[in-house]
Amino acid sequence: MRTVRTATEMQQVALSHKVGLVPTMGAFHEGHLSLMRAARAECASVVVSLFVNPTQFAANEDLELYPRDEERDARLATEVGVDVLFVPSAEELYPEGFATWVDVEEAGGEAAARPGHLRGVATVCVKLFNIVRPDVAFFGQKDAQQAAVLRRVVRDLNVDVELRVLPTVRDADGLALSSRNVYLSTAERAEALALPRALETGRSAHVQGSDPIAAARAALNGLEPDYVEVIDVGDARVLAAAARVGSTRLIDNVVLEGELR
Ligand code: PAF
């Protein structure tokens, strides 16, 4: 596997069609690896970007704390058969005077709870699409609203890339894998299980014709949600929630109708 650190070098790497991109912020877990394996199965060249994108964190969020271990990530990516690990610096992607943003008009959910977050995500993803020029880019269902926003960006700005959204990978007890799970103490990790359980309760309520949001809220077992909302993601409708467990903010969602693709 080759590691590339500049946009210019990345644009010069000869990649064979079809090119798959897995954008990540590193601290790989099975969720990331499942995206890389899907890219490996479908594409001739697989590029994984590893960049903790500062513009999607607000000033009071965990940018500094966010887990980083490039050596371990590189080893795992090599094992999966990734061709190129693209690891740009913040100065490389946001040079002095950077002033152009991709700002999707989105309301509710993460847009309301984390102002500026989705703008940072959309901007960095468009930059990555322009630098790597992938045919297909792979994202996880856990960040369902992010996937919805990126679909809108690709459609609205005629970006020539196909997006794939793959199912959330969970621990055996149901907790969605997240790089932020490392922040949880043992007691907090047990508390965090209320989030996927509440979403499942919401999904069952929906199947039975009741209000999924009310059912999920009632099942949160004391967790204080930022939101519990139904969000359209392409052809799918998901029940999504964000909640804080101690100082860790977790998000999760379940599909109510349709299929995430
Ligand atoms: O989902 C993530 O890890 C990030 O939001 C992404 C898509 C890599 C953009 O920084």
Side-chain angles (χ1 to χ4, degrees):
M1 187 184 69
R2 175 170 172 184
T3 298
V4 169
R5 296 188 190 275
T6 68
T8 309
E9 188 187 347
M10 188 64 242
Q11 283 170 321
Q12 285 164 354
V13 176
L15 298 168
S16 353
H17 181 82
K18 140 194 228 192
V19 177
L21 170 66
V22 183
T24 80
M25 299 208 300
F28 296 160
H29 51 64
E30 256 318 300
H32 298 111
L33 301 181
S34 73
L35 301 181
M36 293 178 210
R37 288 192 197 103
R40 184 69 287 163
E42 180 176 346
C43 302
S45 302
V46 177
V47 179
V48 171
S49 61
L50 192 176
F51 179 61
V52 183
N53 176 34
T55 66
Q56 66 188 74
F57 290 79
N60 59 341
E61 292 183 344
D62 58 342
L63 174 63
E64 298 308 325
L65 259 188
Y66 199 85
R68 291 166 172 85
D69 190 344
E70 183 185 324
E71 210 178 300
R72 174 181 169 277
D73 288 346
R75 185 165 38 75
L76 292 172
T78 305
E79 282 167 17
V80 175
V82 168
D83 299 299
V84 180
L85 189 64
F86 177 46
V87 193
S89 64
E91 296 69 36
E92 179 69 20
L93 288 198
Y94 297 107
E96 187 72 28
F98 183 91
T100 307
W101 299 96
V102 179
D103 203 351
V104 182
E105 291 175 9
E106 174 82 355
E110 292 298 292
R114 299 181 71 188
H117 168 68
L118 291 168
R119 177 179 92 149
V121 170
T123 302
V124 82
C125 286
V126 168
K127 287 176 67 72
L128 292 169
F129 295 157
N130 285 333
I131 294 167
V132 177
R133 276 161 290 174
D135 299 287
V136 195
F138 297 78
F139 296 90
Q141 176 195 334
K142 187 172 71 66
D143 297 285
Q145 199 178 2
Q146 161 174 291
V149 161
L150 292 172
R151 279 206 195 284
R152 196 153 325 137
V153 167
V154 163
R155 190 201 61 186
D156 291 355
L157 300 182
N158 304 92
V159 183
D160 192 12
V161 63
E162 255 180 75
L163 303 187
R164 301 256 187 285
V165 181
L166 299 184
T168 301
V169 178
R170 297 179 183 280
D171 272 332
D173 57 11
L175 189 68
L177 296 191
S178 162
S179 304
R180 290 189 167 97
N181 290 355
V182 298
Y183 302 153
L184 298 169
S185 67
T186 310
E188 287 171 340
R189 197 180 169 307
E191 251 183 85
L193 289 177
L195 182 59
R197 287 178 184 158
L199 289 169
E200 268 311 314
T201 303
R203 202 179 60 77
S204 305
H206 177 73
V207 170
Q208 285 154 21
S210 314
D211 177 4
I213 298 178
R217 277 189 177 275
L220 273 169
N221 205 24
L223 286 189
E224 209 33 68
D226 272 0
Y227 61 84
V228 181
E229 284 180 19
V230 173
I231 298 174
D232 287 327
V233 185
D235 298 334
R237 180 154 271 211
V238 305
L239 177 64
R244 222 162 267 284
V245 183
S247 56
T248 307
R249 185 173 185 276
L250 299 176
I251 61 172
D252 200 353
N253 67 84
V254 292
V255 175
L256 294 180
E257 283 164 26
E259 212 181 314
L260 279 164
R261 280 179 292 114

